[in-house]
Amino acid sequence: MGKVVGDKAEAFLRSLEQNPVVPAVRGPDRDLEAALAGDHPAIFVLGGDAFKVLGRLGSRGRRPQIYVNVDLVGGIASDASGLRFLSRYVEGIISTHRHVIELAKTSGLITIQRLFAIDSGAVERGLKLIRSAQPRFVEILPALAYCEIAAQYSEVLDLPVLAGGLLRSWEDISAILEAGAVGVSASDQRLWNGA
């Protein structure tokens, strides 16, 4: 299982090199349909009902990798059974919680641990949790804080980092990528398809 997860994670990284923007959608609505219709490295599902989302994915042949934020999506518990269930339908999960990241790794899911950069104390606590959980990727929110964090906390660059939240322009995205992020997640559809 580890090699399969590693291969999928590497495929995600390679696809970010071609298109560094991951659509972030709130649930099984028009945004999800638009994201599924595009050529994206992945889709981050950040809300809604898990079963409705999985129903929309259905039997689609070719689709981007799907990462479900188990802290925000309803219908699936973020326990071992819920994560094993999700692993049959999606490639990965997103969570702020160390124990969820650890459980998801044992379920064969690619893990993205979110770090909310609200102040230096939150960043330091978040980095401590990340060192303990060892997710495959880290996502820093809000995205506009990424450049400052990368400059002050070089260890954040030890893992592939994405940045998400409050992105409004391609200038923002370019600055974040130049500072070392491998990609960004954005809910604004205008940013999904390049500058």
Side-chain angles (χ1 to χ4, degrees):
M1 189 180 327
K3 181 171 176 9
V4 172
V5 172
D7 289 348
K8 287 181 182 179
E10 288 304 314
F12 178 42
L13 262 176
R14 284 192 307 275
S15 62
L16 285 168
E17 292 171 6
Q18 303 304 309
N19 178 1
V21 180
V22 175
V25 301
R26 302 275 179 235
D29 55 16
R30 282 179 287 180
D31 286 345
L32 177 59
E33 292 301 323
L36 286 167
D39 184 22
H40 305 291
I43 299 171
F44 289 178
V45 179
L46 307 180
D49 178 280
F51 293 100
K52 289 180 182 176
V53 169
L54 296 176
R56 289 282 172 98
L57 299 177
S59 60
R60 290 179 186 265
R62 189 179 176 305
R63 64 163 174 75
Q65 292 186 12
I66 305 295
Y67 294 79
V68 173
N69 186 320
V70 295
D71 301 341
L72 302 175
V73 172
I76 300 285
S78 53
D79 60 13
S81 296
L83 294 170
R84 273 194 309 275
F85 174 81
L86 268 181
S87 72
R88 291 187 272 164
Y89 301 96
V90 302
E91 286 71 30
I93 61 100
I94 303 165
S95 180
T96 58
H97 304 290
R98 178 188 56 81
H99 71 282
V100 174
I101 297 296
E102 291 168 346
L103 281 173
K105 290 189 317 188
T106 66
S107 298
L109 290 159
I110 300 168
T111 54
I112 300 174
Q113 189 162 358
R114 278 187 152 184
L115 187 159
F116 287 98
I118 57 173
D119 60 27
S120 59
V123 171
E124 289 167 10
R125 283 187 303 278
L127 290 174
K128 185 176 178 181
L129 289 172
I130 288 164
R131 281 191 293 274
S132 175
Q134 298 182 337
R136 183 63 179 88
F137 297 91
V138 173
E139 184 181 29
I140 293 178
L141 289 93
L144 301 177
Y146 174 77
C147 297
E148 184 74 22
I149 291 168
Q152 288 187 17
Y153 301 92
S154 61
E155 71 267 24
V156 81
L157 299 174
D158 291 345
L159 292 169
V161 180
L162 296 109
L166 300 178
L167 292 168
R168 298 287 178 246
S169 70
W170 267 92
E171 290 76 21
D172 292 342
I173 293 171
S174 294
I176 290 163
L177 296 174
E178 287 174 22
V182 297
V184 298
S185 66
S187 58
D188 186 341
Q189 285 191 34
R190 294 171 300 171
L191 301 175
W192 290 358
N193 295 311

